[in-house]
Amino acid sequence: DAGITQSPRHKVTETGTPVTLRCHQTENHRYMYWYRQDPGHGLRLIHYSYGVKDTDKGEVSDGYSVSRSKTEDFLLTLESATSSQTSVYFCAIGILQGNYGYTFGSGTRLTVV
Amino acid sequence: DQQVKQNSPSLSVQEGRISILNCDYTNSMFDYFLWYKKYPAEGPTFLISISSIKDKNEDGRFTVFLNKSAKHLSLHIVPSQPGDSAVYFCAAAGGTSYGKLTFGQGTILTVHP
């Protein structure tokens, strides 16, 4: 996946527990994004980062926080997991220029029970 | 408020025929459009893009057409192959959301041998 690794690939957690998903890139890319994929909604942006300690909210950020202390790592935390956060989470890197789009990781399937 | 819409949840075509996937958008500030392909249990992969200064872009069997006045884009796959069976997402960026992609809901394409 072009130097993007997401961990874990699968996780089942209980309602009310905190969960952290990790995205690690080896491309030294400045721009990183977290999306969630749900049926009928496509992919929706949760948070994004334009550099170390430079993050901002996307369209579905409620209940999520992020941190980026190193260029290569972008962490997504569900502060208190709810069943509505059961989803597939994708990390992406890149900018939009020329004939290129973002590169996505393989995803993390999260189930909140 | 779904700014990018793919109104056909699924499409079925015969191998060798043309597949046409459609996408509509409402935000007139969008000026860069992309198509992604996604196989099960994998992340989306970039397929082709087009900027608003063009109305057509080709890459092998894939052609994207953009009709700015109608706020409509389409992806043509000719000829279709069974390996093209996947979920196809259109995405858009521009204006205040530049750098952040807004995705459609996706269309499941099935190509029958």
Side-chain angles (χ1 to χ4, degrees), chain A:
Chain A
D1 280 325
I4 304 176
T5 305
Q6 291 187 234
S7 59
R9 288 297 311 274
H10 301 273
K11 185 169 182 66
V12 180
T13 192
E14 292 186 351
T15 299
T17 61
V19 178
T20 295
L21 309 182
R22 181 183 184 233
C23 179
H24 178 79
Q25 58 138 333
T26 58
E27 306 294 314
N28 199 35
H29 216 292
R30 185 177 164 191
Y31 303 93
M32 300 185 74
Y33 310 84
W34 275 107
Y35 282 86
R36 59 178 288 177
Q37 183 198 359
D38 304 288
H41 291 279
L43 287 90
R44 293 178 292 174
L45 182 65
I46 306 171
H47 280 280
Y48 59 99
S49 171
Y50 286 177
V52 173
K53 297 185 179 179
D54 185 3
T55 65
D56 207 344
K57 296 178 179 179
E59 62 176 307
V60 290
S61 60
D62 286 350
Y64 301 95
S65 62
V66 290
S67 66
R68 188 145 178 226
S69 58
K70 298 184 289 184
T71 298
E72 59 266 34
D73 289 324
F74 193 29
L75 304 180
L76 177 71
T77 297
L78 287 66
E79 292 141 8
S80 177
T82 67
S83 58
S84 65
Q85 294 176 311
T86 292
S87 186
V88 182
Y89 292 85
F90 290 102
C91 174
I93 64 173
I95 59 174
L96 304 176
Q97 65 179 16
N99 198 33
Y100 299 96
Y102 298 159
T103 300
F104 282 83
S106 299
T108 294
R109 180 172 293 276
L110 177 68
T111 303
V112 183
V113 298

Side-chain angles (χ1 to χ4, degrees), chain B residues 10 28 49 52 61 78 92:
Chain B
S10 62
S28 58
S49 66
S52 59
R61 296 186 297 114
V78 184

Side-chain angles (χ1 to χ4, degrees), chain B residues 12-45:
Chain B
S12 180
V13 300
Q14 284 298 124
E15 181 178 7
R17 299 290 189 105
I18 184 172
S19 295
I20 300 176
L21 296 101
N22 294 302
C23 180
D24 297 297
Y25 62 96
T26 58
N27 189 337
S28 58
M29 297 299 290
F30 288 147
D31 58 6
Y32 191 68
F33 305 89
L34 305 88
W35 285 94
Y36 278 84
K37 179 167 80 172
K38 185 184 178 305
Y39 293 119
E42 295 183 10
T45 55

Side-chain angles (χ1 to χ4, degrees), chain B residues 19 21 54 56 74 102-103:
Chain B
S19 295
L21 296 101
K54 294 185 175 182
K56 177 182 174 182
S74 61
T102 300
F103 284 83

